[in-house]
Amino acid sequence: LEDTVFDSGTTGLVAETTQLFPDSTGTGTLIDADGGDVVDSETFPKGITIYGRWTEIDPASGTCIAYIGD
């Protein structure tokens, strides 16, 4: 595929469980405890795999494969 940047703000990558998965809503997580945007303006290189449960995925550029599960 190609490098991907998720949309900034509250729509890019919205975690189902806040503080557990990478998130773009500005809520601190176990990954980034200072409350910063974990994925805002970050480029995820092609071939990387991130795991989590998200309610919204909105790439600003690039492409990604997302699997929907229960």
Side-chain angles (χ1 to χ4, degrees):
L1 298 172
E2 58 190 12
D3 293 350
T4 301
V5 175
F6 293 98
D7 198 15
S8 61
T10 59
T11 61
L13 194 60
V14 180
E16 181 180 85
T17 305
T18 58
Q19 304 210 3
L20 188 58
F21 304 115
D23 191 87
S24 64
T25 62
T27 305
T29 68
L30 298 175
I31 298 167
D32 179 26
D34 69 357
D37 293 335
V38 177
V39 299
D40 192 23
S41 302
E42 294 295 325
T43 300
F44 290 81
K46 64 182 175 183
I48 192 170
T49 301
I50 57 173
Y51 294 92
R53 295 183 68 91
W54 295 279
T55 58
E56 188 167 345
I57 299 171
D58 186 15
S61 65
T63 58
C64 65
I65 297 173
Y67 295 98
I68 299 173
D70 292 329

